[in-house]
Amino acid sequence: MKKTLLLALLLLGVVSLNAQTKEELQAQKAEKQAIADKAQGEANAIQAQIDALPGWKIGAFGTIGGSLSSFNNWYAQDKPNNNSGNIGFTFNAFANLIEDKFFWRNSLNTNLSWVKLDDKDNGTDADDSFEPTTDVFNITSLYGRNLTKKIAASALMEYRTTILNNFNDPGYLDLGIGATWTPITNLIVVVHPLNYNFVFADNDAVFESSMGAKIVADYTRQLGAIGFKTNLSMFQSYKSSDLSNLTWTNSFSYTLWKMIGVGFDFGLRSNKQEALNYALAQDPATATGFDDVDNDLQTYWTLGLSYKF
């Protein structure tokens, strides 16, 4: 009985000692974490001061996604024997010169993807080639002279096209002047009432250049491990709303280890000229003109590993 009681007291002492040690360790951890949080806040404040200094700011980030699969005798699907794969990536880069009296902001955005489906039971399909599915290329250059701390007189050049298929058919070149507003850090709003939208395309009966207003809004932010960028580019034609267009792209990333993480990109576009050109190319044609064409919203998205430099 004495031995049992002694053993119980010993176990109780060990448990109490472990509990006390755990509480002490948690307290030490909380103390160190508070010091680390304070140091990180000070480092972020210093980085903000560095970012605000005049000079060039250069960076790049993007997303890579892909998959491969193979099926044999999988009778539950339409093509039981097939090999398939898809790969896609986005690339965003910027080079900005920020000075006290002027700025020059340049950016590049691309989103490309390919898909392959090899039906082993069909000897006529393109079993050895990847077909392009997403094809986006956009480059902008914005120059401004500061009138106040938040408003500048500016000039913008923006070029959009595809590069895997039908390069520059269509292609869009916007040239315009107006004002740029920077209400908060990392947010750029461009309003150019004098803008000419040059459209390059083989089908002159559908695509047409025109004068109009250009509006661009761009916001880029990094919050710890989370980074995101959103860009809205709109052109409103003074000649006809049929010649107007809108493109909105978004990129999100979450850093898991060093410069590698998870990324998600998606984009929206509305362009009635492109919708009509596609409808007229169908057999039979699904529209006769701008009045009866279905201008469905164009979308894309990419999910995969993210990277940044």
Side-chain angles (χ1 to χ4, degrees):
M1 183 65 179
K2 292 182 179 179
K3 292 182 178 180
T4 303
L5 181 60
L6 181 62
L7 180 60
L9 291 174
L10 180 61
L11 291 176
L12 181 61
V14 171
V15 171
S16 300
L17 180 60
N18 288 339
Q20 185 180 8
T21 302
K22 181 179 180 181
E23 292 175 354
E24 290 176 351
L25 290 174
Q26 289 177 336
Q28 293 176 13
K29 178 184 177 182
E31 181 181 352
K32 298 297 184 182
Q33 187 64 53
I35 296 174
D37 292 342
K38 181 180 179 181
Q40 186 61 54
E42 294 174 351
N44 292 340
I46 295 174
Q47 185 61 50
Q49 295 178 8
I50 294 173
D51 294 339
L53 292 175
W56 283 99
K57 308 292 189 300
I58 300 175
F61 65 95
T63 302
I64 298 177
S67 68
L68 296 173
S69 64
S70 179
F71 291 87
N72 291 292
N73 303 321
W74 199 265
Y75 298 116
Q77 62 187 12
D78 182 56
K79 297 178 176 60
N81 302 290
N82 73 78
N83 293 323
S84 65
N86 67 79
I87 184 172
F89 71 90
T90 65
F91 180 74
N92 299 277
F94 64 89
N96 300 329
L97 176 60
I98 310 298
E99 298 291 347
D100 293 333
K101 295 184 179 180
F102 71 93
F103 59 82
W104 184 24
R105 299 176 178 272
N106 304 276
S107 65
L108 169 68
N109 169 257
T110 61
N111 188 309
L112 308 175
S113 66
W114 298 260
V115 65
K116 171 184 175 181
L117 175 62
D118 173 19
D119 184 358
K120 300 176 184 178
D121 299 323
N122 184 358
T124 62
D125 66 342
D127 58 355
D128 59 348
S129 62
F130 279 83
E131 298 294 331
T133 54
T134 305
D135 194 353
V136 177
F137 179 85
N138 186 19
I139 185 171
T140 63
S141 183
L142 174 68
Y143 178 82
R145 299 289 298 187
N146 295 325
L147 302 177
T148 68
K149 187 177 180 179
K150 296 184 177 182
I151 298 178
S154 56
L156 173 72
M157 183 282 294
E158 181 183 75
Y159 177 67
R160 307 183 310 280
T161 187
T162 55
I163 56 179
L164 299 179
N165 280 326
N166 305 319
F167 175 72
N168 207 41
D169 182 25
Y172 305 91
L173 175 63
D174 281 291
L175 296 175
I177 57 175
T180 295
W181 179 41
T182 54
I184 59 175
T185 303
N186 302 320
L187 175 60
I188 308 298
V189 180
V190 179
V191 180
H192 285 179
L194 295 177
N195 182 91
Y196 199 84
N197 179 237
F198 294 91
V199 184
F200 310 100
D202 293 338
N203 191 350
D204 296 334
V206 174
F207 294 97
E208 183 179 352
S209 304
S210 64
M211 177 70 74
K214 184 73 175 181
I215 298 176
V216 177
D218 186 278
Y219 185 67
T220 304
R221 188 72 186 273
Q222 183 74 35
L223 295 172
I226 301 175
F228 59 91
K229 175 183 176 64
T230 180
N231 180 275
L232 174 66
S233 178
M234 302 172 56
F235 172 72
Q236 180 62 49
S237 174
Y238 293 147
K239 184 175 182 179
S240 171
S241 61
D242 294 334
L243 306 181
S244 303
N245 59 72
L246 176 152
T247 301
W248 184 29
T249 58
N250 302 269
S251 298
F252 298 87
S253 65
Y254 182 81
T255 302
L256 299 173
W257 178 73
K258 293 185 178 181
M259 297 299 183
I260 304 300
V262 177
F264 176 68
D265 293 76
F266 75 92
L268 307 174
R269 175 183 287 176
S270 177
N271 190 312
K272 205 168 186 179
Q273 295 178 92
E274 292 178 351
L276 179 58
N277 185 60
Y278 178 81
L280 294 176
Q282 303 308 300
D283 187 19
T286 58
T288 59
F290 285 112
D291 293 335
D292 62 350
V293 66
D294 290 328
N295 185 24
D296 295 330
L297 185 66
Q298 306 174 44
T299 65
Y300 73 81
W301 62 269
T302 301
L303 176 65
L305 293 176
S306 66
Y307 59 92
K308 63 180 179 179
F309 302 95

